[in-house]
Amino acid sequence: MRIILLGPPGSGKGTQAQLLVQRYGIVQLSTGEMLRAAVAAGTPVGLKAKEIMAGGGLVPDDVVVGIISDRIDQPDAKNGFILDGFPRTVPQAEALDELLKHKHLKLDAVIELRVNESALLSRVETRVAQMRERGEEVRVDDTPEVLTKRLASYRNQTEPLIHYYSERRKLSTIDGMMAIDEVTRAIHRQLLALGAIEPKSHARSAAKAAPAKTGTKKAKPAKKTAKKPAKAAKKAAKSVKTAKKAAKKTVKGAKKTPKKTAKKGVKKAAKKAVKKGSKKGPKKVTKKRAKR
Ligand code: AMP
């Protein structure tokens, strides 16, 4: 499986990529991570990228395309990969299309994590605080000033990719404001729907998540699907019962049977109306209540 995670800084791409790596046994290819490693090692690429990254700008397309092309050729990427932070510009996306074609590889999906921009700063602040707590080195570009520039780069240069991939029918958009595990589940469902993963691997991951409860690997989805209709049937039967009850009670005093909308208050009003001798009482009241 080969997928791209698209989203602004702080949208959770890195977190989701790591979870997907664990779940599907594929590798995460983060250009940001690779560039940071190059900066730390002082390689020619690192020297080129250092200042640009510190200022929140984008490293030249040819540099990142070269890095990714080499990385995809590594044996550990044969099983599949998640591109995190690449492509970031339309020329990068075009170069990726070309190099995948050349390598006879297919891109399965582009997952966009959509988030409210207002939440991003606090998310990055939380990330910084957590890194400090763990005693990790904090990224030089994780400051409010640089984040503003990184967001501007995203808006101007990366957001056009949403259109690029949606035109090519590759884009799936997921609400990145949900809890981390809900986002993971939504991505998983999307990958299933697209056929990027087999239902079998769904069963495997579900069994992994709750090994004590599930018997065989295949048992869980079967159980789930069997349960659902039974539940729905119960619910339906219950609502029919309630409707019948309501109908019986009101029929006692009124000729016009209130529909499902007639609740307690309606029934009371119906009784009152009947006492007064009005036959149409319940219907009128039902309408009034329903309007509210
Ligand atoms: P990230 O870790 O994805 O937030 O990336 C950190 C920084 O690395 C970015 O702000 C850019 O300066 C640089 N960078 C990472 N990926 C790319 C890319 N695909 N194209 C250009 N610059 C990149």
Side-chain angles (χ1 to χ4, degrees):
M1 171 173 56
R2 290 164 216 98
I3 58 173
I4 293 174
L5 283 184
L6 202 60
S11 58
K13 294 189 303 290
T15 307
Q16 291 303 327
Q18 280 168 19
L19 293 167
L20 295 170
V21 162
Q22 288 168 18
R23 193 163 194 172
Y24 307 117
I26 52 181
V27 288
Q28 172 189 9
L29 307 185
S30 155
T31 37
E33 287 295 330
M34 293 177 214
L35 288 168
R36 276 188 286 280
V39 170
T43 65
V45 165
L47 294 175
K48 231 184 192 176
K50 191 174 178 182
E51 292 305 313
I52 303 172
M53 290 173 75
L58 290 188
V59 173
D61 290 339
D62 58 330
V63 174
V64 280
V65 170
I67 296 180
I68 281 293
S69 179
D70 291 344
R71 189 62 188 83
I72 287 176
D73 291 337
Q74 300 296 309
D76 63 346
K78 289 275 172 285
N79 213 12
F81 50 77
I82 302 163
L83 293 173
D84 159 19
F86 179 91
R88 254 176 158 101
T89 64
V90 171
Q92 286 181 23
E94 287 167 347
L96 176 67
D97 282 347
E98 268 309 301
L99 70 87
L100 287 180
K101 203 169 138 193
H102 186 72
K103 295 178 201 289
H104 305 289
L105 298 174
K106 187 181 146 268
L107 182 67
D108 292 293
V110 178
I111 308 278
E112 179 208 359
L113 297 180
R114 194 164 284 183
V115 287
N116 297 340
E117 247 193 41
S118 55
L120 296 179
L121 183 61
S122 67
R123 277 193 177 192
V124 173
E125 277 170 355
T126 308
R127 175 163 81 195
V128 169
Q130 285 169 345
M131 285 175 88
R132 287 220 169 92
E133 251 178 47
R134 292 195 295 262
E136 290 169 13
E137 206 179 311
V138 173
R139 284 168 53 166
V140 288
D141 59 351
D142 266 352
T143 63
E145 301 76 40
V146 183
L147 184 70
T148 309
K149 287 192 190 151
R150 286 162 63 203
L151 277 174
S153 298
Y154 181 80
R155 237 179 275 124
N156 300 330
Q157 290 167 276
T158 311
E159 245 174 25
L161 292 182
I162 293 171
H163 179 67
Y164 182 92
Y165 286 117
S166 127
E167 256 193 339
R168 285 159 181 76
R169 300 186 176 280
K170 291 276 180 204
L171 189 80
S172 302
T173 300
I174 282 171
D175 177 9
M177 298 306 293
M178 299 187 292
I180 292 174
D181 58 338
E182 282 179 67
V183 175
T184 314
R185 276 200 292 272
I187 294 176
H188 180 78
R189 275 198 299 272
Q190 196 55 39
L191 293 175
L192 265 177
L194 290 169
I197 47 172
E198 308 239 325
K200 207 168 60 184
S201 68
H202 168 56
R204 202 181 305 137
S205 39
K208 236 186 198 175
K213 278 187 186 170
T214 51
T216 62
K217 282 174 186 174
K218 276 182 187 164
K220 192 162 183 182
K223 213 173 160 189
K224 240 186 165 181
T225 40
K227 239 183 186 179
K228 265 187 186 166
K231 251 189 187 175
K234 252 189 192 174
K235 224 180 172 184
K238 211 178 171 189
S239 56
V240 167
K241 259 188 194 170
T242 335
K244 273 187 183 168
K245 251 188 194 173
K248 256 188 196 171
K249 271 191 186 176
T250 35
V251 157
K252 271 185 200 168
K255 275 189 179 170
K256 303 257 178 185
T257 311
K259 292 199 180 131
K260 240 186 177 180
T261 40
K263 294 238 168 90
K264 258 189 186 171
V266 180
K267 285 176 214 157
K268 255 190 195 171
K271 273 187 188 167
K272 245 188 189 176
V274 169
K275 264 186 196 168
K276 278 184 188 172
S278 154
K279 280 179 184 173
K280 283 184 181 170
K283 194 184 176 188
K284 267 187 193 167
V285 179
T286 310
K287 268 191 180 169
K288 240 185 182 177
R289 297 260 168 189
K291 260 187 190 173
R292 275 182 223 166

